[in-house]
Amino acid sequence: MSLERAVLAGGCFWGMQDLIRKLPGVKATRVGYTGGDVANATYRDHGTHAEGIEITFDPAQTTYRDLLEFFFQIHDPTTPNRQGNDIGLSYRSAIYYVDEAQRAAALDTIADVDASGLWPGKVVTEVEPVGDFWEAEDYHQDYLEKHPNGYTCHFPRKGWVLPKRASAAE
């Protein structure tokens, strides 16, 4: 089995981890800080980093595109530097691609989200090459499993689902 890596940021990392970890094909998740300027980032000192999630997945069970479509369904990619009550650069929407195929999939998915008209505005999600990922403190890992009634601003939005594409064979 060959596993792949995805790194996404979409607001507070607790809610994203709680929902994404349950997807078929997702083998592991961890939350942390990425896309910024501080080495060895921590909750108290993460500079311009976003709160992000690193996902290890089996591409034989789920595609990167499937992960991105779910990512866009569980957070609002049209609000700059904000998710729910969380405001600031740490809570921006971003996709950190590991290779050119992921970059192309990210741009293609964003174009489809914008073209669909289902979201409340145009996508402001950043698309950048992956850099360092600084794992968050233990108390942030698996937070909503440890605190089932803890804060989250992430939930599947039933109306924000891209129509399935026709396959090439049709």
Side-chain angles (χ1 to χ4, degrees):
M1 168 174 44
S2 177
L3 300 178
E4 293 185 18
R5 176 183 186 223
V7 179
L8 306 172
C12 176
F13 41 36
W14 300 339
M16 286 186 42
Q17 182 182 39
D18 192 56
L19 294 169
I20 290 173
R21 72 169 359 119
K22 297 170 184 168
L23 295 175
V26 172
K27 300 304 179 187
T29 60
R30 66 182 182 141
V31 299
Y33 313 99
T34 191
D37 62 351
V38 174
N40 302 304
T42 65
Y43 182 72
R44 298 222 181 271
D45 182 20
H46 58 270
T48 62
H49 285 291
E51 289 193 8
I53 178 173
E54 181 182 64
I55 305 156
T56 303
F57 68 99
D58 181 351
Q61 294 181 304
T62 192
T63 66
Y64 184 67
R65 170 73 184 219
D66 289 338
L67 291 176
L68 292 179
E69 288 186 14
F70 189 71
F71 168 69
F72 284 116
Q73 185 188 15
I74 64 171
H75 86 291
D76 186 345
T78 69
T79 54
N81 301 327
R82 178 179 191 155
Q83 287 300 310
N85 294 326
D86 298 324
I87 300 171
L89 195 57
S90 299
Y91 307 109
R92 69 187 179 271
S93 177
I95 299 168
Y96 299 100
Y97 58 87
V98 301
D99 58 26
E100 188 56 35
Q102 283 191 359
R103 178 183 171 277
L107 295 174
D108 188 51
T109 306
I110 288 170
D112 288 347
V113 168
D114 278 337
S116 75
L118 297 172
W119 281 253
K122 290 293 182 189
V123 172
V124 298
T125 304
E126 299 173 4
V127 178
E128 301 289 338
V130 73
D132 292 328
F133 185 91
W134 305 103
E135 185 171 3
E137 297 77 3
D138 284 343
Y139 63 89
H140 287 299
Q141 303 299 328
D142 310 313
Y143 185 86
L144 290 175
E145 286 191 347
K146 297 172 192 169
H147 307 277
N149 296 316
Y151 171 77
T152 184
C153 59
H154 295 90
F155 57 92
R157 291 156 172 91
K158 294 184 192 270
W160 294 9
V161 178
L162 287 172
K164 288 296 173 199
R165 292 177 167 198
S167 70
E170 293 178 358

